[in-house]
Amino acid sequence: MRKIPPSELIINPDGSVFHLHLKPDQISNKIILVGDPARVDLIAKYFDNIEVNVSSREFHTVTGYYKGKRLSVVSHGIGTDNIDIVLTELDALVNIDFNTREIKKELTSLELVRVGTSGGIQTDIPMGSFVVSQTSIGFDGVLNFYANRDSVCNLDFEKKFVDFVDYPKQAAAPYVVRANPELVDRIAQSDMILGITISANGFYGPQGREVRLPLAKPELNHKIEKFEYIGNKVTNYEMESSALAGLSLLMGHKAMTVCAIIANRVVKESNSDYSSYIVKLVETVLERI
């Protein structure tokens, strides 16, 4: 049995995992993920009681009970690089014996629902709507560093997308993954839009925003807007769903992302006062997870 060396999985002196500072018994199998650490407190206000409250850097975790369900809320910060950290350490907490440093014989599958915000890139997606990332296109390249990535990716979609939008050869190869269908059905129901989401590896240039620096491919967003795969168009941009879905598929977890749309890139509108959207989305996810 392979022992995972300390350099590969760092365990703190108190027995907690390196970045999250959590111990194996401190998380639930049902986890809500959010980017903003402050949003953890917003969700925890709905809990009947709290048993764990741990903060480290941008990673804030609260575990407690909501209407009899034991839930954890974990903040991951911004970007798929942080998702790589959070997913790996959450998986380690349930599937690696911290005493022997060996992978457990019986693996645990987590349910992970990321609640976030996003910008729509189709005119028919109004602000305030909720978009579920049924399919995610990763511009970040994270999944390309792991073995067997092709086994969880839609290779036909990838090729058609790269060819259609003339994807920059200098950029990381995009990967296309699906969220867990059972979790999508349970959370989305009839009041959410099922979409194709791009996870960008930046907020400005990688999402086609031009501030002071000119864009290498200024026409890229227009091509993305026009792209279709089996009649479905790309719906929105965000920065985490691809790594969450892809790593979860490789690890055997159920995962999905749902975002409140707070801007529309095509009609160039945004709403910075979007707290009511998030509250409604949080309340919906709490009931359905």
Side-chain angles (χ1 to χ4, degrees), residues 158-171:
E158 291 175 8
K159 184 178 187 308
K160 286 183 169 60
F161 178 81
V162 166
D163 291 344
F164 185 90
V165 306
D166 188 24
Y167 197 74
K169 292 180 173 59
Q170 299 93 332

Side-chain angles (χ1 to χ4, degrees), residues 204-269:
Y204 291 100
Q207 294 187 35
R209 290 183 172 94
E210 187 171 347
V211 182
R212 194 168 71 83
L213 294 178
L215 299 173
K217 292 273 188 177
E219 74 286 355
L220 183 59
N221 267 9
H222 180 69
K223 290 181 178 179
I224 290 170
E225 180 191 346
K226 300 302 180 187
F227 173 77
E228 291 187 23
Y229 185 76
I230 315 179
N232 297 304
K233 292 186 174 183
V234 178
T235 50
N236 59 313
Y237 263 119
E238 53 82 82
M239 295 179 65
E240 290 88 18
S241 68
S242 59
L244 174 62
L247 291 173
S248 294
L249 282 167
L250 289 174
M251 293 175 178
H253 302 302
K254 294 182 177 182
M256 61 160 283
T257 292
V258 56
C259 289
I261 298 299
I262 65 170
N264 190 293
R265 300 295 305 285
V266 181
V267 299
K268 300 186 184 303
E269 293 180 352

Side-chain angles (χ1 to χ4, degrees), residues 17 78 81 154 174 185 239:
V17 72
I78 298 175
D81 50 344
N154 186 331
D185 287 346
M239 295 179 65

